[in-house]
Amino acid sequence: MGKGARAQPLERPWDFVYRTQEEPHAIRRRAILKVHPEIQKLFGYEPLTKYLVVLTVALQVWVASQVTEWRWPYYLAATYIIGATANHSLFLAIHELAHGLGATSWAENRLIAMVANCPITIAYAVTFKPYHMAHHAQQGTDGIDTDIPTYLEAWLISGTASCYVDHTFRKFIFMFCQIFGYALRPMIVKPDLVPFDRWILLNWVVVLGFDAAILACFGRSALLYLLLSTFFAGSIHPTAGHFIAEHYVFEGTCETYSYYGPLNALAYNVGYHNEHHDFPSVPWSRLPLVTQIAPEFYSDLPQCYSWPGTVLRYIFDDAISPFSRVKKKRDKED
């Protein structure tokens, strides 16, 4: 992560990094469009997304049907290597669809997202969208952007750690269980953002119906395979490194980092994260073209060179913690 080696160890942060100016993506978006207005031709949707979703769901159903009689070492290996990778890919398909980048209408995007949601076993495709749109519209804003750990989370992990070993162990536990933070934090911080409606009801009916079908056809081991796949997909897994790599501050006060490595092939190019935040209307398949069209805006930005490496640095570098995020204090009118 970053362009060069750090000269000396930094101290553990005790509070978030705060900014007062506009978030950087809006500023860079205007600058890029002034020089490269042709980027707007990349806006639109990617028809391939729905086919990849169906193939990934089919893969998960097939593997779930095969592992029911396997011994635990092989069962867990398949869950971590195949299941977690596939379900993490489905996380990111749902992310694409939340931006309306998989089909022409919002209804179609929601329905495809519900299909992608099925092997994850817990309905969240519909509720994810409003929280994620808030993350884009007001990145880092305290109490609005629920992608950022709360002060209580950061204090419990880093603020009360007694020594390096204690801090490292707490960060390991945080990483191992981080999917619970991503799932529960939005409902705790902004519980009223997503009122219950027919779309949420349909999302739960579809996913619970899928769970029931897996249970009836293949048994408890098959359903457990899918549930554990979801857990490992949001835990210490190579593809889950993007949760940390995207917005944790590793260099100066830079608050978004792109990753251009091979794991993007399994993750709908979510590694092109500066490009995605600058132009959220560009689908995953065309994000590399943003970098190619406007290299002068991206080549000098700090980058992430390895998602697994970022996970290890987060755990073992005492200077990196849940406080390593950029926040903006909430305006009174928000």
Side-chain angles (χ1 to χ4, degrees), residues 1-80:
M1 180 83 67
K3 295 280 186 181
R6 203 166 56 204
Q8 60 184 16
L10 299 177
E11 294 183 356
R12 187 191 311 170
W14 298 100
D15 198 358
F16 296 100
V17 179
Y18 288 92
R19 62 169 161 81
T20 56
Q21 70 274 25
E22 186 180 14
E23 59 96 2
H25 302 290
I27 298 170
R28 188 162 53 241
R29 183 185 308 121
R30 290 194 295 268
I32 292 175
L33 287 176
K34 191 173 182 179
V35 180
H36 298 290
E38 67 272 21
I39 280 182
Q40 294 177 88
K41 296 179 182 178
L42 303 178
F43 295 0
Y45 73 99
E46 174 50 73
L48 182 61
T49 301
K50 58 181 174 290
Y51 301 113
L52 292 176
V53 165
V54 170
L55 285 173
T56 309
V57 171
L59 171 67
Q60 282 293 73
V61 172
W62 181 78
V63 177
S65 72
Q66 298 300 305
V67 300
T68 55
E69 301 298 328
W70 289 12
R71 295 173 60 187
W72 274 104
Y74 304 109
Y75 180 92
L76 291 175
T79 301
Y80 187 83

Side-chain angles (χ1 to χ4, degrees), residues 18-281:
Y18 288 92
R19 62 169 161 81
T20 56
Q21 70 274 25
E22 186 180 14
E23 59 96 2
H25 302 290
I27 298 170
R28 188 162 53 241
R29 183 185 308 121
R30 290 194 295 268
I32 292 175
L33 287 176
K34 191 173 182 179
V35 180
H36 298 290
E38 67 272 21
I39 280 182
Q40 294 177 88
K41 296 179 182 178
L42 303 178
F43 295 0
Y45 73 99
E46 174 50 73
L48 182 61
T49 301
K50 58 181 174 290
Y51 301 113
L52 292 176
V53 165
V54 170
L55 285 173
T56 309
V57 171
L59 171 67
Q60 282 293 73
V61 172
W62 181 78
V63 177
S65 72
Q66 298 300 305
V67 300
T68 55
E69 301 298 328
W70 289 12
R71 295 173 60 187
W72 274 104
Y74 304 109
Y75 180 92
L76 291 175
T79 301
Y80 187 83
I81 296 170
I82 302 173
T85 304
N87 273 13
H88 200 97
S89 181
L90 291 172
F91 289 169
L92 295 168
I94 290 170
H95 166 259
E96 279 287 304
L97 294 158
H99 283 280
L101 300 176
T104 55
S105 72
W106 283 113
E108 289 175 284
N109 279 283
R110 281 181 166 178
L111 292 172
I112 299 167
M114 290 182 199
V115 174
N117 197 166
C118 285
I120 295 167
T121 71
I122 298 169
Y124 86 100
V126 173
T127 54
F128 171 75
K129 176 181 165 60
Y131 291 110
H132 188 66
M133 293 303 101
H135 165 63
H136 273 267
Q138 301 198 53
Q139 179 176 307
T141 302
D142 195 22
I144 294 178
D145 183 359
T146 58
D147 184 71
I148 297 180
T150 63
Y151 188 90
L152 178 61
E153 288 175 83
W155 180 78
L156 288 172
I157 294 165
S158 296
T160 58
S162 59
C163 62
Y164 170 77
V165 174
D166 182 21
H167 191 214
T168 299
F169 178 73
R170 294 186 192 206
K171 289 192 291 179
F172 171 81
I173 296 299
F174 173 79
M175 280 298 306
F176 190 68
C177 301
Q178 70 171 326
I179 191 168
F180 296 114
Y182 276 95
L184 299 175
R185 187 187 305 128
M187 295 185 290
I188 294 171
V189 174
K190 289 188 70 66
D192 57 341
L193 183 61
V194 187
F196 189 83
D197 64 8
R198 62 180 182 176
W199 282 105
I200 294 177
L201 176 61
L202 180 60
N203 195 177
W204 276 104
V205 168
V206 169
V207 173
L208 290 178
F210 177 87
D211 294 347
I214 292 291
L215 189 62
C217 294
F218 307 120
R220 290 179 295 178
S221 293
L223 186 60
L224 181 62
Y225 161 80
L226 294 175
L227 189 60
L228 288 176
S229 294
T230 298
F231 174 77
F232 288 134
S235 182
I236 299 177
H237 188 272
T239 56
H242 82 86
F243 286 133
I244 300 296
E246 289 169 356
H247 295 296
Y248 275 74
V249 178
F250 286 90
E251 306 292 338
T253 58
C254 183
E255 59 186 285
T256 306
Y257 300 79
S258 286
Y259 160 77
Y260 301 116
L263 290 176
N264 276 309
L266 302 171
Y268 290 88
N269 281 335
V270 76
Y272 288 78
H273 215 64
N274 270 302
E275 293 83 346
H276 169 62
H277 269 266
D278 291 350
F279 298 102
S281 295

